[in-house]
Amino acid sequence: MNVILVGALGRMGAHVAEALTRAGHTVTASVDVGYAANGGGRYLRIGEVKEQADVIVDFSFHAVTPEVVGYAARHQIPAVIATTGHTEEEKKAITAASAKTAIFYSGNMSLGIATLCDTVKRVVSVFPDADVEIVETHHNRKLDAPSGTALMLFDAVKEARPDAKALCGRSGQGKRDKNEVGIAALRMGNVVGVHEVMICTDNERITLKHEAFDRALFADGAVKAAEYLAGKPAGLYSMKTMFQN
């Protein structure tokens, strides 16, 4: 499988390149604004790429997403969007592109997180009146809060409890609303990623937790997503759809 890798010079870009090589795939073009100039299969912008590819993997920055999915749609190349923190307009660009090509979009590329989301949905459905709280912890350089993963976990809660409302941070005075799901974001040190979901009744508490030890796990998930996406018809895909298939 030939891959266009966007965000090649970033920390995750290096992990993805290594994971692709281990899986027997080829990075046919690398894209990053950090390159000095175009040449040798390296490009500053994806719009300048000339090489053919079977799939695009984007681990760059959310603001670049419209350009990436636009290129994918024009050339009808499937794309894995592994960045987070997208604005509503950027999300609309992803959806629009998915009408013309296959787009894989997930707030977290970890297979473990995908399993956690499914488990959260199942447990919350068993305890419909329980209080649910989500706590996510990341390194002090992460820009978006709450994390895309925390929002995925909230969506899992909402599948079981459609009236759930996200409360990102809690302050002031007032009784806890029975439908609110608190989401707390911690930023410190070099933490790769820790996500906890607490489901609590008056008599018991269930805590579901996922901890990432190495960013390489996200690269492995992105490669799995790229392999899954190759040959798929136009549409919007995710970890959930990948597990269902």
Side-chain angles (χ1 to χ4, degrees):
M1 187 169 67
N2 291 325
V3 180
I4 297 172
L5 177 58
V6 184
L9 293 181
R11 183 177 299 181
M12 282 308 307
H15 284 304
V16 173
E18 291 175 3
L20 287 167
T21 299
R22 286 197 305 272
H25 306 306
T26 302
V27 177
T28 189
S30 299
V31 180
D32 201 291
V33 293
Y35 288 128
N38 293 336
R42 298 177 176 180
Y43 300 88
L44 278 75
R45 307 187 74 89
I46 192 170
E48 299 163 332
V49 173
K50 307 299 181 186
E51 286 80 359
Q52 299 293 313
D54 301 303
V55 66
I56 299 165
V57 176
D58 175 27
F59 246 118
S60 56
F61 184 64
H62 69 85
V64 181
T65 295
E67 185 178 351
V68 172
V69 296
Y71 179 93
R74 288 194 304 275
H75 296 273
Q76 294 189 317
I77 304 173
V80 176
I81 305 301
T83 55
T84 61
H86 292 98
T87 66
E88 290 304 314
E89 287 302 311
E90 290 160 357
K91 290 177 182 177
K92 288 179 182 177
I94 293 171
T95 302
S98 71
K100 297 182 179 180
T101 191
I103 304 290
F104 190 103
Y105 177 50
S106 177
N108 190 299
M109 286 293 159
S110 163
L111 301 178
I113 286 292
T115 304
L116 177 60
C117 287
D118 184 62
T119 305
V120 166
K121 176 184 174 182
R122 293 171 183 269
V123 175
V124 170
S125 67
V126 173
F127 298 95
D129 297 320
D131 296 328
V132 181
E133 296 284 311
I134 299 169
V135 179
E136 55 100 341
T137 307
H138 285 88
H139 54 84
N140 56 24
R141 301 172 304 283
K142 186 171 178 61
L143 299 178
D144 55 313
S147 68
T149 306
L151 296 177
M152 284 176 63
L153 291 167
F154 170 72
D155 287 341
V157 173
K158 198 170 179 64
E159 284 191 57
R161 193 181 294 179
D163 293 332
K165 299 180 293 185
L167 178 64
C168 300
R170 184 179 281 111
S171 62
Q173 300 182 21
K175 183 180 176 181
R176 186 187 199 280
D177 187 289
K178 68 182 183 68
N179 290 323
E180 75 182 40
V181 176
I183 304 178
L186 309 182
R187 297 289 177 266
M188 53 185 161
N190 197 38
V191 178
V192 175
V194 180
H195 292 85
E196 297 178 81
V197 182
M198 287 157 279
I199 301 148
C200 187
T201 70
D202 288 344
N203 300 314
E204 59 188 324
R205 180 175 72 180
I206 298 171
T207 300
L208 303 172
K209 179 178 179 181
H210 178 274
E211 184 170 358
F213 299 130
D214 193 308
R215 291 174 178 84
L217 73 91
F218 305 122
D220 291 338
V223 172
K224 292 285 187 185
E227 292 170 339
Y228 162 77
L229 205 61
K232 286 285 189 296
L236 191 59
Y237 300 87
S238 66
M239 281 291 183
K240 182 177 179 180
T241 59
M242 185 166 70
F243 268 71
Q244 289 175 341
N245 287 275

